[in-house]
């Protein structure tokens, strides 16, 4: 029997062990999509205790606690931090088969030196050990980033954001990684939301452009894209529930009706969204940006808890939209005028793995290797089975060697251990193929594939250059 989570954890054969320890383990991290707070990074306040850093904002842990019948006061409520930590420990010990069990123990092991398995019985010892490390090291966002071998961090930022914290982070110079904004215009695209008119007013204010037509809207948004570009942004991100494609209505007519509070049909909403995405893609392409499309979430399912806690608190799930035809039409509309930028497609529903893995092959180009990417296993899929199935689909139908690899997609500064988790799974998958005689044991080739997926492909693909800061 193998020891619990030893140095060769998840590496089930000799080839996997060699690939991980020799080619993946020490590669820097390129975290091209996350939800970390730039303000927290700049202010860099030391954390108060393990609960603050461990459970704060981590809806994966919150969902598991709820599934174990833990009262909400110990999750997002006003219970004492120690009691919250103890409540989590009391149920974590039973989390067999849940990736949360591995993530949690990797976090405790890498950042706090905790080697033992978490139980309610040793909760006090772990609480004291972690808090001592936090206090003695003055653990803060920058210390966690700097100790995690991170080269690049791309946050998630609204077009009306001033990006002041990104500028201040660069001026302060306390974070070794290059911290870049990423352009996330969901509020602009979601014209059906009650807050849309208010958002347009915010966009007018920051851009200095009065928005009375669709052309005005594009001028204002392009103004913000140019501003983001000047501050170092090279990536956009879009959360799409389903994929909109409709060319039956004028975006200008739809927008003008929305501005005055008119009621919109579902067809008009879809046509507006489609037009905005196509016109944004044109701008992204002109600047060499990458466009990310996150497809397939069903958000805020529990209305009572949404009213109480708001969004992103652990009440989202997987949707089952039909996406193949509209996605093909949308990408084709961008490509017809040669305005399809580098694009990463993510699906939250694994039923669409082969849809995306085949779709990307329709729009590849010699201008960039792997120009259209099948993005890493996302959200509910970033566990062993989800990662393996995503990579197998990509390998079967495309070029796994050009894959840009893992991201954290997290609000927690401890989540960099997920890159280790991913790399172990990657090396074990490839190692298994080699051990079965399905690929030669040629470490020059294998090492390059592993190193490229771990880091190098992302460096080449995203074009975020400042290599002098990557002296790890």
């Amino acid at each position: 029997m193998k020891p619990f989570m030893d140095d060769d954890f998840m590496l089930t054969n000799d080839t996997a062990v060699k690939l991980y320890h020799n080619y993946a383990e020490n590669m820097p991290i390129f975290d091209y999509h996350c939800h970390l707070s730039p303000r927290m990074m700049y202010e860099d306040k030391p954390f108060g205790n393990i609960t603050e850093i461990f459970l704060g904002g981590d809806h994966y842990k919150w969902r598991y606690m709820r599934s174990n019948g833990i009262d909400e006061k110990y999750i997002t409520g006003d219970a004492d931090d120690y009691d919250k930590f103890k409540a989590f420990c009391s149920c974590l010990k039973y989390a067999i088969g849940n990736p949360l069990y591995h993530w949690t123990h990797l976090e405790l092991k890498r950042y706090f030196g905790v080697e033992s398995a978490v139980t309610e019985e040793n909760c006090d010892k772990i609480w004291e050990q972690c808090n001592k490390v936090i206090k003695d090291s003055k653990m803060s966002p920058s210390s966690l980033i700097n100790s995690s071998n991170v080269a690049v961090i791309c946050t998630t930022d609204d077009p009306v954001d001033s990006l002041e914290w990104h500028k201040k982070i660069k001026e302060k110079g306390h974070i070794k990684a290059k911290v870049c904004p990423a352009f996330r215009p969901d509020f602009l695209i979601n014209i059906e939301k009650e807050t849309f008119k208010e958002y347009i007013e915010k966009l007018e204010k920051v851009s200095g452009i009065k928005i009375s037509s669709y052309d005005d809207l594009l001028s204002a948004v392009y103004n913000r894209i140019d501003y983001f570009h000047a501050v170092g942004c090279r990536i956009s991100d879009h959360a799409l529930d389903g994929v909109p494609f409709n060319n039956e209505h004028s975006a200008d007519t739809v927008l003008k009706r929305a501005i005055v509070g008119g009621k919109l049909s579902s067809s008009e909403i879809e046509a507006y969204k489609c037009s905005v995405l196509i016109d944004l893609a044109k701008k992204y392409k002109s600047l060499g940006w990458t466009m990310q499309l996150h497809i397939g979430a069903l958000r805020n399912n529990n209305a009572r808890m949404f009213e109480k806690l708001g969004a992103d608190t652990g009440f989202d799930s997987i949707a089952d939209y039909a996406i193949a035809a509209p996605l093909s039409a949308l990408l084709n509309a961008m490509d017809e005028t040669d305005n399809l930028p580098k694009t990463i497609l993510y699906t939250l529903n694994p039923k669409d793995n082969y849809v995306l893995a085949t779709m990307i092959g329709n729009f590849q180009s010699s201008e960039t290797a792997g120009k259209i990417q099948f993005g890493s296993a996302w959200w509910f899929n970033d566990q062993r089975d989800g990662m393996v199935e995503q990579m197998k689909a990509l390998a079967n139908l495309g070029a796994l060697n050009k894959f840009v690899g893992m991201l954290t997609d997290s609000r927690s500064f401890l989540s960099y251990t997920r890159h280790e988790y991913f790399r172990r799974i990657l090396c074990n998958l490839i190692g298994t193929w080699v051990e079965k005689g399905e690929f030669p044991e040629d470490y020059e080739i294998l090492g390059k594939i592993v190193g490229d997926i771990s880091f190098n492909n992302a460096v080449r693909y995203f074009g975020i250059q400042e290599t002098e800061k990557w002296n790890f």
Side-chain angles (χ1 to χ4, degrees), residues 158-184:
D158 190 274
V160 301
D161 196 300
S162 69
L163 303 182
E164 64 173 308
W165 305 113
H166 292 83
K167 296 176 184 178
K168 289 181 176 180
I169 288 168
K170 185 174 182 180
E171 292 170 359
K172 192 173 182 179
H174 61 304
I175 294 177
K176 291 196 299 181
K178 184 174 176 62
V179 181
C180 305
F183 191 76
R184 177 82 171 241

Side-chain angles (χ1 to χ4, degrees), residues 242-435:
V243 179
F245 189 81
N246 186 307
N247 54 12
E248 297 175 1
H249 305 277
S250 160
D252 185 63
T253 301
V254 176
L255 175 65
K256 287 176 178 176
R257 186 177 301 162
I259 289 174
V260 297
K263 185 175 177 60
L264 303 178
S265 68
S266 59
S267 179
E268 288 173 321
I269 292 168
E270 192 173 64
Y272 168 82
K273 291 183 176 182
C274 178
S275 292
V276 174
L277 284 169
I278 291 170
D279 286 319
L280 286 176
K282 180 179 180 180
K283 181 67 172 178
Y284 301 155
K285 175 70 181 294
S286 72
L287 294 173
W289 283 21
T290 297
M291 176 175 69
Q292 299 177 95
L293 302 180
H294 284 88
I295 304 167
L298 191 63
R299 301 175 190 274
N300 306 320
N301 294 272
N302 189 322
R304 179 177 59 84
M305 295 305 289
F306 176 73
E307 183 68 23
K308 181 179 179 181
L309 300 176
D312 304 318
T313 52
F315 297 95
D316 305 322
S317 58
I318 295 172
D320 57 356
Y321 304 105
I323 68 168
L327 180 59
S328 172
L330 182 65
L331 297 177
N332 187 60
M334 297 171 181
D335 186 70
E336 277 186 317
T337 54
D338 196 23
N339 287 313
L340 178 63
K342 292 178 291 184
T343 300
I344 306 177
L345 305 175
Y346 306 85
T347 177
L348 197 56
N349 195 326
K351 78 175 179 60
D352 293 320
N353 278 358
Y354 272 54
V355 171
L356 296 196
T358 54
M359 188 66 68
I360 64 174
N362 299 328
F363 299 100
Q364 300 292 11
S365 167
S366 61
E367 64 188 80
T368 303
K371 174 183 175 179
I372 313 299
Q373 291 271 329
F374 177 17
S376 64
W378 169 44
W379 199 344
F380 295 114
N381 300 309
D382 60 357
Q383 24 75 12
R384 175 166 46 192
D385 291 345
M387 291 178 185
V388 167
E389 290 308 311
Q390 182 268 340
M391 287 189 282
K392 284 169 63 177
L394 177 56
N396 272 315
L397 300 165
L400 178 63
N401 62 302
K402 295 303 180 184
F403 179 34
V404 293
M406 185 57 175
L407 44 80
T408 61
D409 189 29
S410 175
R411 292 168 175 79
S412 171
F413 289 95
L414 297 178
S415 291
Y416 290 111
T417 52
R418 294 184 193 176
H419 283 263
E420 174 183 343
Y421 187 66
F422 165 80
R423 290 173 184 182
R424 288 176 179 273
I425 292 167
L426 166 68
C427 292
N428 194 68
L429 176 63
I430 292 176
T432 299
W433 288 335
V434 173
E435 294 275 337

Side-chain angles (χ1 to χ4, degrees), residues 24-35:
E25 183 175 15
N26 296 317
M27 293 295 285
I29 290 170
F30 197 121
D31 192 19
Y32 54 89
H33 174 67
C34 75
H35 296 277

Side-chain angles (χ1 to χ4, degrees), residues 188-198 200-201 211-212 217 250-265 268-269 272:
L188 169 76
I189 291 177
N190 293 332
I191 194 172
E192 75 279 14
K193 301 294 186 183
E194 293 181 3
T195 55
F196 180 76
K197 185 176 180 181
E198 178 184 348
I200 292 298
E201 293 171 355
I211 299 174
S212 302
L217 179 77
S250 160
D252 185 63
T253 301
V254 176
L255 175 65
K256 287 176 178 176
R257 186 177 301 162
I259 289 174
V260 297
K263 185 175 177 60
L264 303 178
S265 68
E268 288 173 321
I269 292 168
Y272 168 82

